[in-house]
Amino acid sequence: MQASSLDVIQQDIFTAYRKLTPASGAYYQRARQSLAGGTTGNLRFFPPYPFYETGGRGARVMDLDGNEYIDCFLCNGPLLLGHNHPDVIAAIEGHSKTGPLVVNPPIIAEAAELVQETVPCAERVRFLNSGTEAVIMAVRYARAFTGNSKVVKFYGHYHGQADQFLTGLGPTAEPFGAGVPGEAASNTLLTGYGDIDALAKLMENHDDIAAVILDPAMHAGGLWGSNRSFLQAVRSLTLARNIVLIFDEVITGFRLALGGAQAYYGVTPDLTTLGKALAAGEKLAAVAGKEEIMRVVDPLAASGTPRVFQSGTGNDGSAGIAGAIGAIRTYRQLDGRGEYSHLFDIGEALAEGIHQAFSSREIPCHVNQLGPMLQIFLSAEEPGFERFSLLDMEVLSLFFLALINEGVILTLPTSHHIYLSFMHTREDIDVIIDRTNLVLDKYDFKSLL
């Protein structure tokens, strides 16, 4: 990489961004005086400063300066129905008189029944506040049910912010970020995804495994997806050894199919975690799975059943529960109209258009696409998790910021996760591809690689 060329292009893109978003720049300086880092999460910051969104509709979002963007970040995925979907808003407003929080609101069973009818493994459901909390509880249920303590996690898979799983996000066991003690992962066993022999050997060497957990999209590791035969083999191994199989579908739930990745791949786990698209933007998550396992949180379970403590002040939040009812009903209607095919079609069109834009300029590019999710890598090397996880993403981050300057939030420069919603149209995809070509004509990214 030529440092001088990088500096020049970065300065040009930063200057254009500052000119486009002066109100966000001023607000960032204010926010830094009260918010640590000026945001509520690390991914929300990107140089030279983040923008601040004021609202959106469908596939469009506006910022503090009044700029409108085609939004393909969608708040990191929850907005599968786009911003402010009328059916979700109507469902929330229909229960507004309940107030934000009451104990055991009567709508909780309705929401749970919709999950039960939609997600293959969902014999019983528990609602929670976040994907991280859902994973913690799913693993706790598995440990109580089996009496074992170890959990198998795959390299390149992200399962929330609990210390025990902030390891192995890359190809090593190195903790993800400071403040995560090594001993926190003492019961976490790591192995390579897709290697069924390695998994079988791990099981042979440990007779105290409670669960195997995986993200069927392998999203954090680069969106490499899953092979159905591998998932079937994992299912067979876990059944043979009475190990609980957990699909972390916080990302893939309702996204790859109405019933999530387990419906898409045709493999049913024992437990699943749901979040993000579950309530289409409202705060809600869930653990769903086999009744005999979920029984560990049933106060009326038979004597001798392990008793797991799980509760939470905000688990009954009316907006989240009502949002889930509105969202799932809408997903079912869309599925009935064949709209999931539309999601896959526009995902494929966007992946092809981006790849063509880069390759036509002799910029090596690889695009991973799974349904309405994409990730881009600027490399001519043979695609693969371990190799691509070590790539320098600085140039790609600049490309994403340059697209923001052209009215397209393909993703945040610190995230690289691209999502499409049911609200995106083929015309939106054409605009994104046109703006991609415009950016690649405006800046000589080839010189930076």
Side-chain angles (χ1 to χ4, degrees):
M1 180 184 296
Q2 300 178 19
S4 58
S5 296
L6 175 63
D7 291 342
V8 170
I9 291 176
Q10 182 183 72
Q11 187 59 45
D12 287 348
I13 293 172
F14 279 13
T15 298
Y17 179 75
R18 290 188 177 99
K19 184 177 180 180
L20 182 72
T21 61
S24 280
Y27 194 86
Y28 173 64
Q29 296 305 319
R30 171 188 171 184
R32 278 185 57 83
Q33 305 308 308
S34 55
L35 284 166
T39 68
T40 58
N42 289 12
L43 288 182
R44 291 169 175 81
F45 171 83
F46 51 87
Y49 55 79
F51 55 62
Y52 293 83
E53 296 178 351
T54 57
R57 179 71 62 180
R60 300 295 194 279
V61 69
M62 281 69 71
D63 70 7
L64 198 57
D65 287 273
N67 300 307
E68 182 177 275
Y69 306 88
I70 298 175
D71 185 9
C72 300
F73 182 65
L74 300 173
C75 296
N76 208 10
L79 305 180
L80 183 57
L81 294 172
H83 292 268
N84 278 302
H85 193 282
D87 293 345
V88 176
I89 299 303
I92 295 170
E93 291 177 347
H95 296 284
S96 61
K97 292 183 179 179
T98 303
L101 190 64
V102 295
V103 174
N104 297 329
I107 58 173
I108 54 175
E110 181 180 356
E113 287 161 0
L114 284 168
V115 173
Q116 193 177 54
E117 294 165 4
T118 304
V119 179
C121 77
E123 296 177 9
R124 294 292 185 274
V125 180
R126 269 286 173 107
F127 291 116
L128 307 109
N129 294 293
S130 69
T132 290
E133 187 178 349
V135 168
I136 291 171
M137 290 304 155
V139 169
R140 186 175 297 171
Y141 299 170
R143 285 174 169 151
F145 179 73
T146 62
N148 295 326
S149 57
K150 296 287 195 302
V151 176
V152 176
K153 175 190 181 296
F154 296 96
Y155 289 106
H157 291 229
Y158 175 75
H159 301 297
Q161 299 180 58
D163 287 358
Q164 63 183 319
F165 292 121
L166 284 177
T167 178
L169 271 70
T172 72
E174 182 179 353
F176 188 65
V180 181
E183 59 269 23
S186 59
N187 284 315
T188 303
L189 305 174
L190 290 165
T191 190
Y193 198 59
D195 190 339
I196 197 65
D197 293 332
L199 179 60
K201 185 175 181 179
L202 195 66
M203 291 179 175
E204 290 172 3
N205 292 336
H206 297 272
D207 60 3
D208 57 347
I209 297 175
V212 172
I213 187 169
L214 60 89
D215 165 15
M218 197 178 173
H219 196 266
L223 191 63
W224 299 99
S226 294
N227 180 288
R228 184 183 182 191
S229 62
F230 174 72
L231 291 178
Q232 290 174 327
V234 174
R235 175 70 285 186
S236 296
L237 280 177
T238 52
L239 284 172
R241 295 178 178 272
N242 295 316
I243 295 170
V244 176
L245 178 58
I246 304 171
F247 278 12
D248 182 350
E249 294 223 50
V250 168
I251 291 174
T252 56
F254 307 102
R255 195 180 307 276
L256 290 185
L258 178 62
Q262 56 195 273
Y264 178 74
Y265 288 109
V267 178
T268 304
D270 299 304
L271 296 176
T272 194
T273 58
L274 300 169
K276 292 193 183 286
L278 171 62
E282 287 294 334
K283 293 181 180 179
L284 191 71
V287 179
K290 288 184 176 179
E291 187 276 334
E292 63 175 335
I293 301 175
M294 300 290 288
R295 201 178 297 161
V296 298
V297 288
D298 185 347
L300 298 182
S303 176
T305 302
R307 304 290 177 172
V308 166
F309 175 76
Q310 180 264 304
S311 192
T313 303
N315 291 355
D316 294 336
S318 299
I321 300 293
I325 292 172
I328 297 173
R329 284 177 173 169
T330 304
Y331 298 143
R332 294 172 73 167
Q333 292 170 1
L334 291 166
D335 181 59
R337 300 202 299 263
E339 290 297 319
Y340 274 91
S341 294
H342 165 74
L343 273 184
F344 278 70
D345 288 345
I346 61 174
E348 291 171 2
L350 182 57
E352 182 179 347
I354 290 172
H355 183 268
Q356 175 62 26
F358 279 93
S359 62
S360 66
R361 293 165 177 83
E362 298 182 342
I363 301 174
C365 176
H366 177 81
V367 183
N368 278 350
Q369 178 251 331
L370 181 59
M373 302 178 287
L374 293 84
Q375 289 190 38
I376 304 171
F377 301 93
L378 300 184
S379 175
E381 294 191 48
E382 186 70 22
F385 159 61
E386 292 191 4
R387 188 177 297 109
F388 276 29
S389 66
L390 301 175
L391 291 176
D392 186 338
M393 294 294 196
E394 187 174 13
V395 172
L396 197 55
S397 295
L398 277 178
F399 165 72
F400 292 138
L401 185 60
L403 264 183
I404 288 173
N405 291 340
E406 303 300 334
V408 175
I409 305 171
L410 193 58
T411 183
L412 297 191
T414 45
S415 171
H416 301 172
H417 296 164
I418 302 167
Y419 299 93
L420 297 174
S421 74
F422 283 107
M423 298 301 104
H424 284 91
T425 66
R426 184 55 194 258
E427 289 72 25
D428 291 329
I429 303 304
D430 291 340
V431 170
I432 296 169
I433 294 170
D434 286 345
R435 303 287 170 83
T436 295
N437 280 287
L438 186 156
V439 165
L440 294 180
D441 285 339
K442 185 179 291 189
Y443 303 104
D444 185 12
F445 284 102
K446 183 180 178 182
S447 69
L448 306 182
L449 299 170

